[in-house]
Amino acid sequence: MIVIAAAIIGAALGWRRAGQLGGAPRDRAQYAAAFAVAFAVLGLFATVILDRMI
């Protein structure tokens, strides 16, 4: 669940960041995809760490 939530949040933040920079819809999609992947990886590490602690 953490991975999915992190990916969605990352995509939203990436879309917003590209919009702040004046990006076209394709730029926004690329930023959203890149941020989603990056946040999903961080969420995966968080999930593994939490799973090992519990």
Side-chain angles (χ1 to χ4, degrees), residues 3 13 16 23 26 31-35 44 48 51:
V3 177
L13 289 176
R16 185 170 156 239
R26 286 178 143 182
Y31 266 72
F35 272 59
L44 179 63
V48 170
D51 189 42

Side-chain angles (χ1 to χ4, degrees), residues 13-54:
L13 289 176
W15 187 272
R16 185 170 156 239
R17 178 67 179 145
Q20 289 174 344
L21 296 174
R26 286 178 143 182
D27 297 325
R28 290 180 180 206
Q30 183 177 1
Y31 266 72
F35 272 59
V37 169
F39 274 61
V41 169
L42 291 175
L44 179 63
F45 283 126
T47 301
V48 170
I49 290 168
L50 285 174
D51 189 42
R52 294 213 178 232
M53 293 177 88
I54 294 176

